[in-house]
Amino acid sequence: MKIIARWLLLAAALLLVAHVYSGVVVTSFVSAMIAALVIGLLNTLVRPLLVLLTFPVTLLTLGLFLFVINALMFWAAASVLAGFNVSGFGAALIGSVIYSLCGMVIDVAVERVFNRADA
């Protein structure tokens, strides 16, 4: 249940990103749900490999290159999906930062709600 709640909230966060920032376009909630799923899969499967391969650059930039990797995952999801568009790499960078901030808030909220339900 926690995974479904997190997935729906992340889809809503993607709609919020599209509403707040004009460089990101999401056509519907269903598109946002699919995009949130694809972003999650890319972050789970591809991102660790990219982080490992770019470790020297990440170390040299004191971790700032991780923002580039997040933007690449965001941009890759947009290039694969029809209802989710990002206008360029700069838009992907800004959109991924907003989406990550929303994701952190969602993670804290979901943990609090489901930990309270367990008690």
Side-chain angles (χ1 to χ4, degrees):
M1 184 68 184
K2 186 186 339 184
I3 293 173
I4 294 172
R6 187 175 183 275
W7 177 41
L8 292 173
L9 288 171
L10 286 172
L14 202 54
L15 286 174
L16 177 71
V17 170
H19 182 73
V20 170
Y21 183 60
S22 62
V24 177
V25 177
V26 179
T27 57
S28 67
F29 187 71
V30 174
S31 297
M33 288 174 53
I34 295 169
L37 180 66
V38 170
I39 291 170
L41 287 173
L42 285 172
N43 282 336
T44 302
L45 301 174
V46 178
R47 187 176 186 273
L49 181 64
L50 285 177
V51 169
L52 185 65
L53 290 175
T54 61
F55 183 72
V57 177
T58 304
L59 195 62
L60 190 65
T61 61
L62 303 175
L64 291 177
F65 195 73
L66 292 174
F67 286 113
V68 174
I69 293 174
N70 285 341
L72 287 173
M73 296 298 99
F74 202 76
W75 201 11
S79 67
V80 171
L81 301 172
F84 175 46
N85 296 321
V86 177
S87 62
F89 183 76
L93 184 64
I94 294 170
S96 70
V97 168
I98 298 170
Y99 185 68
S100 295
L101 291 173
C102 291
M104 288 189 315
V105 171
I106 288 168
D107 286 342
V108 169
V110 166
E111 284 301 318
R112 284 190 180 180
V113 167
F114 281 95
N115 284 341
R116 187 175 304 169
D118 291 339

